[in-house]
Amino acid sequence: MTLLHYVLATLAAVAAGAINAIAGGGTLVTFPTLTALGIPAITANVTNTVALSPGYLSATLAQAKDLRGQRSRLWVCIPSSVLGGVAGGLLLLWTEERTFRQLVPFLILLASLLLALQSPVRAWLTRSRSRAGGAEAGVSAAPSRSHSSQSLARSVPLIVAVFVAAGYGGYFGAGLSVIVLAVLGLLLDDSLTRLNALKQGIAFAVNVAAAIFFVFSGRVLWPVALAMAVGAWVGGAVGGRIAGRIQPSVLRWTVVAIGTIVGVIYLVR
């Protein structure tokens, strides 16, 4: 790694932090950048997961008010998120470098597809909540007894679904938020705002669990990870400030286009 490589990795992390704050999909920028710099695919994925973790913390704290009254759901979802994240990370480290390189184009294309589906998923959830009488304007800050009993009755399917989604997140990560939000929308009856906050908490748990697991794997390029972490934090702060001035859909589709092009290039190579 030369000084130019560190600069490029940090700039990619700044862009990823801003993209994640506005629309999501920052991994589709940082991971290809790291592999283009000559870092092996698994090491690049591990380093990227560790480097982008601070951004998930700031995003979760920003939506903390919408997590109020969801303690029982967090008690159900967080353990399965942590276990799934570690399981996905373990599966990644068990995967041979050659096999993972062969999977990379499909993972990138899948992540691009998930990002493209983000808006339709949100629209579907909004319609579902409205039909169920659970529109945001009519939901109080604390869940009703029906919500609590409903969550309890569905806890087993929820645990299993979150664990599977977390496994994907620990293995690669890009597009995890879309999967988790769709799962929560299918299994829980609540407003989109509160489900989105719960999704953010789950994504944070998955990413941090995988990152902590990777810390002890010996596969993290620490100088690169630390430089990128600073860049991601700066990018997240900038993205949060300019989020109201940029159309998330425009940025999202730009990232989808970039991810699709990169995925096809990897596939051809």
Side-chain angles (χ1 to χ4, degrees), residues 182-207:
V183 166
L184 296 178
L186 284 170
L187 298 177
L188 298 175
D189 182 17
D190 209 334
S191 71
L192 182 56
T193 297
R194 285 165 53 79
L195 292 179
N196 192 62
L198 183 59
K199 172 217 74 178
Q200 198 62 56
I202 292 172
F204 169 65
V206 171
N207 192 267

Side-chain angles (χ1 to χ4, degrees), residues 233-251:
W233 186 272
V234 172
V238 173
R241 289 180 178 274
I242 65 175
R245 307 175 193 172
I246 297 179
Q247 284 287 344
S249 58
V250 174
L251 183 59

Side-chain angles (χ1 to χ4, degrees), residues 20 31 35 39 84 111 113 116 128 145 158 163 182 193-194 202 229 236:
N20 283 336
F31 176 76
T35 56
I39 299 175
L113 175 62
S128 298
R145 289 187 178 181
L158 184 62
F163 177 82
T193 297
R194 285 165 53 79
I202 292 172

